[in-house]
Amino acid sequence: LIDTLPQTLIWSDDVLSVLDQRALPKKIEYLHLLHIEDAHFAIKTLAVRGAPAIGVAAAYALAQSMQDSKLQDQEFHQQLMANATYLKSARPTAVNLAWAIDRVVAAYQEMPYKRTLVDCAQAIHQEDLAISLARGEHGAPLIQPNWSVLTHCNAGSLATSRLGTATAPMYTRHQQGIAFSVFADETRPLYQGARLTTWELEQAGIDTTLICDNMAASLMASGRIDMALVGTDRVTANGDVVNKIGTLNVAILCRHFDIPFYVACPSSTFDPATPRGQDVVIEQRDRDEVIGRHSTALKVLNPAFDVTPHELVTGIITEHGICAPSELRRQLSDLQ
Amino acid sequence: LIDTLPQTLIWSDDVLSVLDQRALPKKIEYLHLLHIEDAHFAIKTLAVRGAPAIGVAAAYALAQSMQDSKLQDQEFHQQLMANATYLKSARPTAVNLAWAIDRVVAAYQEMPYKRTLVDCAQAIHQEDLAISLARGEHGAPLIQPNWSVLTHCNAGSLATSRLGTATAPMYTRHQQGIAFSVFADETRPLYQGARLTTWELEQAGIDTTLICDNMAASLMASGRIDMALVGTDRVTANGDVVNKIGTLNVAILCRHFDIPFYVACPSSTFDPATPRGQDVVIEQRDRDEVIGRHSTALKVLNPAFDVTPHELVTGIITEHGICAPSELRRQLSDLQ
């Protein structure tokens, strides 16, 4: 299965290439990110997107940005820090971006060689692959035979190095030969569900139906959805889940209809430094994403994320297993 | 105020013209519906839309379709019935369509002259205008000063002869000089909120902000929405509300956040013959409306309406006042 999934990121000859997710599914095109500005732009415009994939891409971009540097010692370190800050500014909400960049910087501070940067980025990349396999194994049994799973946005293969976050349990379950189906929210305003999730799940042979975001309630009312499974960009210390706008909507509907609501992510998405979801600064994106070609509205809101309070989350699936959101902090600190 | 609102329908020289709502807000164009097939097509493709407006348009279209008929007596009556059935098939869910057509037919059966048909259609049109004023007066006090009102789809002036259903209390309150603001759900897949509601409310000078359907939960969580106010295509005998897909979603969010959820409609939208919402056949529309230019999904659902159970509805606003949904049946039969 894993080899049939699209390659979101390719690192070859010290150059990072990413599958351009703005062009999908109509065109399959790779962007070669030769300069740090290219990487910043690719992350900002969602050519590469999804919390884990952004982390891996930023780690590579930071490493690559210093490979041709003629600076030495303190000056090299200063430039590295400046590049790190610049890359982090591309998308403020995704905690994996800052996490991956900080890890590359820390590795360099430990072993101050150019090659350390690349080695660390490659390690992050390999770990993301391994972690997605573990997440799939843990989450797959949650999907009962013949169930229908609702997902929102694209927390898929395209959002990570391979198996995806919310999709890892789906791909693993599918490989186990268990029949189930997926309803994919189209996910306005950028249609990540309509463009990306339906495309990648169909390619893997999983029975997938596209719906508008506002149709899920109606499907739940008629008993056609058995669980929801989404990704996340950040889990705060208390277990609140920051994810694509509309996730809170799904969680509230699940609570109303008594449907389990699961979140899948790598443990690096956990942000113990931020106490609660409401402490996270939510990225406000351009009004034109909502307006499109059809509206002439003057006032528009376009928050990229919302906060699902931990009490609406049935469980969080990581590479270490499944736990209640309020237990995640203790589970991860026990492992350290 | 009323004269500044757009004219949804114009009846002049025995010809019905409708403002083409597919072209709005980019183009303001009227369609002249010379033949019954034109009217059927205009209703089916949502050039004219909204439960009350569809009723008025269908009444005129039926009257007009018989004006040049050379048939007599029984043959005339048979043709009238055939035309009535044909027009009803244009949109199966909206009860006002059937209600208006049945009323024109009944008027003819009472007074079998061609002119009866036109007189009855004009009476329906005039009543719809008067009813919208009464609805506005009853509903306006619900909107407290400085409140924010969430609405879904377009239950506006464009959906009726003038003041709208959900918008009648808004227009009336605005005219009373009370400040409040509106959040308009864009309403996928056809963007009636993004195209029509924002346009007509802005034209009237009401502070209106466009959001995607999946953003309402986030706004409610931060205390930015004080009430929801929507229209409906049909209220069943037990008070269940059949309205544009996504309405149930809004109602469940309101219940979760303890926000009042009101429905406004003419009393002709009440359908005592249908016991419960789940007994209504929901129109399934074309997959291409959801797919658009951006998706390649193979399987798509596109239900045009959903059912909000009466227990989620705070009150129903009609020309007779405000009542609990379960009280509507008794209120209307007391009036007869």
Side-chain angles (χ1 to χ4, degrees):
Chain A
L1 171 78
I2 206 165
D3 296 322
T4 69
L5 294 172
Q7 289 239 52
T8 310
L9 304 118
I10 298 169
W11 176 257
S12 174
D13 294 331
D14 280 4
V15 170
L16 173 64
S17 301
V18 299
L19 183 56
D20 186 351
Q21 301 194 31
R22 298 166 306 185
L24 284 177
K26 306 268 166 166
K27 284 188 213 161
I28 297 175
E29 273 177 354
Y30 281 85
L31 299 176
H32 308 293
L33 307 178
L34 301 176
H35 305 289
I36 189 170
E37 292 80 8
D38 302 339
H40 187 279
F41 187 75
I43 293 170
K44 193 175 180 66
T45 61
L46 279 61
V48 56
R49 47 154 294 286
I54 288 174
V56 174
Y60 276 129
L62 182 59
Q64 181 182 310
S65 74
M66 300 305 294
Q67 291 308 301
D68 297 333
S69 172
K70 301 279 183 284
L71 301 174
Q72 296 290 330
D73 305 330
Q74 190 60 21
E75 284 182 359
F76 185 96
H77 186 250
Q78 280 172 3
Q79 184 64 51
L80 178 69
M81 297 303 286
N83 287 1
T85 303
Y86 173 64
L87 282 170
K88 279 185 193 178
S89 72
R91 291 202 75 193
T93 310
V95 75
N96 297 62
L97 174 59
W99 171 86
I101 285 173
D102 289 345
R103 187 166 151 187
V104 172
V105 169
Y108 177 81
Q109 288 164 342
E110 189 94 357
M111 285 205 295
Y113 307 106
K114 274 185 190 174
R115 198 65 219 171
T116 303
L117 301 170
V118 174
D119 288 348
C120 182
Q122 288 188 306
I124 290 171
H125 192 180
Q126 287 308 310
E127 279 173 29
D128 186 49
L129 179 54
I131 280 168
S132 75
L133 293 170
R135 189 165 51 233
E137 291 295 329
H138 288 302
L142 294 173
I143 305 172
Q144 304 288 319
N146 301 314
W147 269 20
S148 284
V149 183
L150 174 68
T151 192
H152 187 71
C153 195
N154 176 263
S157 172
L158 291 164
T160 68
S161 311
R162 279 297 170 88
L163 278 192
T165 52
T167 54
M170 302 181 200
Y171 287 128
T172 305
R173 202 57 162 160
H174 183 60
Q175 206 166 20
Q176 292 169 353
I178 304 296
F180 63 95
S181 61
V182 175
F183 286 101
D185 272 352
E186 65 176 6
T187 318
R188 280 285 291 157
L190 293 180
Y191 300 111
Q192 289 92 337
R195 296 189 297 110
L196 307 177
T197 303
T198 54
W199 179 72
E200 67 163 89
L201 292 177
E202 279 175 4
Q203 291 224 318
I206 294 174
D207 177 6
T208 307
T209 302
L210 173 65
I211 58 171
C212 296
D213 300 331
N214 63 26
M215 294 172 186
S218 167
L219 285 172
M220 289 181 187
S222 57
R224 294 182 65 184
I225 291 175
D226 299 293
M227 72 180 287
L229 180 48
V230 302
T232 173
D233 292 76
R234 192 187 302 212
V235 180
T236 56
N238 68 342
D240 289 352
V241 169
V242 183
N243 191 39
K244 181 58 55 195
I245 188 74
T247 303
L248 172 61
N249 191 48
V250 173
I252 291 168
L253 297 180
C254 283
R255 172 57 53 94
H256 183 81
F257 289 106
D258 201 18
I259 293 169
F261 176 86
Y262 284 96
V263 175
C265 60
S267 61
S268 57
T269 305
F270 185 59
D271 174 21
T274 303
R276 302 163 310 170
Q278 64 233 64
D279 302 318
V280 176
V281 176
I282 299 295
E283 175 186 355
Q284 300 289 330
R285 295 183 62 86
D286 197 278
R287 54 180 265 114
D288 291 345
E289 291 180 354
V290 176
I291 293 271
R293 270 180 284 261
H294 50 271
S295 182
T296 54
L298 300 173
K299 290 178 72 175
V300 180
L301 283 183
N302 188 14
F305 303 94
D306 60 26
V307 176
T308 299
H310 57 90
E311 59 270 22
L312 295 179
V313 179
T314 310
I316 297 188
I317 307 163
T318 72
E319 67 274 22
H320 303 301
I322 304 169
C323 69
S326 54
E327 292 298 310
L328 188 60
R329 178 177 210 151
R330 206 182 53 185
Q331 190 199 62
L332 296 180
S333 57
D334 284 355
L335 288 165
Q336 280 175 347
Chain B
L1 171 77
I2 205 164
D3 296 323
T4 69
L5 294 172
Q7 290 237 54
T8 310
L9 303 119
I10 298 169
W11 175 257
S12 175
D13 294 331
D14 279 3
V15 171
L16 173 63
S17 302
V18 299
L19 183 55
D20 186 352
Q21 301 195 31
R22 298 164 305 184
L24 284 178
K26 307 269 166 164
K27 285 189 212 162
I28 297 175
E29 274 177 354
Y30 282 85
L31 298 176
H32 309 293
L33 307 178
L34 301 177
H35 305 287
I36 190 169
E37 292 81 6
D38 302 338
H40 187 278
F41 188 74
I43 293 170
K44 193 176 179 65
T45 62
L46 278 61
V48 57
R49 46 153 295 287
I54 287 174
V56 175
Y60 277 130
L62 181 61
Q64 181 181 308
S65 73
M66 301 304 296
Q67 291 308 302
D68 296 334
S69 173
K70 302 277 183 285
L71 301 174
Q72 297 289 329
D73 304 331
Q74 191 60 20
E75 283 182 0
F76 185 95
H77 187 249
Q78 279 172 2
Q79 183 65 50
L80 178 68
M81 297 304 286
N83 288 0
T85 303
Y86 172 64
L87 282 170
K88 281 186 193 178
S89 72
R91 291 202 75 193
T93 310
V95 74
N96 297 63
L97 174 58
W99 170 86
I101 285 173
D102 289 345
R103 187 167 151 187
V104 172
V105 169
Y108 177 81
Q109 288 165 342
E110 190 92 358
M111 285 205 295
Y113 307 106
K114 274 186 190 174
R115 198 64 219 173
T116 303
L117 299 170
V118 174
D119 289 347
C120 181
Q122 287 187 308
I124 290 172
H125 192 181
Q126 287 307 310
E127 280 173 27
D128 187 49
L129 180 55
I131 281 170
S132 75
L133 294 169
R135 190 165 50 231
E137 292 295 329
H138 288 301
L142 294 174
I143 305 173
Q144 303 288 319
N146 301 313
W147 269 20
S148 284
V149 183
L150 175 68
T151 192
H152 187 73
C153 195
N154 176 263
S157 172
L158 292 164
T160 68
S161 311
R162 279 297 171 90
L163 279 192
T165 52
T167 56
M170 302 182 199
Y171 287 127
T172 305
R173 201 57 163 160
H174 183 61
Q175 206 165 22
Q176 292 169 354
I178 304 294
F180 64 94
S181 60
V182 175
F183 287 101
D185 272 352
E186 65 176 7
T187 317
R188 283 284 289 153
L190 292 179
Y191 300 113
Q192 289 94 336
R195 295 189 297 109
L196 307 176
T197 303
T198 56
W199 178 73
E200 67 163 270
L201 292 177
E202 279 175 3
Q203 291 224 320
I206 294 175
D207 177 6
T208 308
T209 302
L210 173 64
I211 58 171
C212 296
D213 300 330
N214 63 27
M215 293 173 186
S218 167
L219 285 171
M220 290 182 185
S222 57
R224 296 182 66 185
I225 291 175
D226 300 294
M227 72 181 287
L229 181 47
V230 301
T232 173
D233 292 75
R234 190 187 305 210
V235 179
T236 56
N238 68 342
D240 290 352
V241 169
V242 183
N243 190 39
K244 182 57 54 195
I245 187 75
T247 302
L248 172 61
N249 191 46
V250 172
I252 291 169
L253 297 179
C254 283
R255 172 58 51 96
H256 182 82
F257 290 106
D258 202 18
I259 293 169
F261 176 87
Y262 284 96
V263 175
C265 59
S267 61
S268 57
T269 305
F270 184 60
D271 174 21
T274 303
R276 303 164 307 169
Q278 64 235 62
D279 301 319
V280 176
V281 176
I282 300 296
E283 175 187 354
Q284 300 289 328
R285 295 184 60 85
D286 197 277
R287 53 180 267 116
D288 291 344
E289 293 180 353
V290 175
I291 292 271
R293 268 180 285 261
H294 49 272
S295 183
T296 55
L298 301 173
K299 288 178 73 174
V300 180
L301 283 183
N302 189 13
F305 302 94
D306 59 26
V307 176
T308 299
H310 57 91
E311 60 268 23
L312 294 179
V313 179
T314 310
I316 296 187
I317 308 162
T318 72
E319 67 274 21
H320 303 301
I322 305 170
C323 70
S326 54
E327 293 297 310
L328 188 59
R329 179 177 209 150
R330 206 182 53 187
Q331 192 199 61
L332 296 181
S333 58
D334 284 355
L335 288 165
Q336 280 175 346

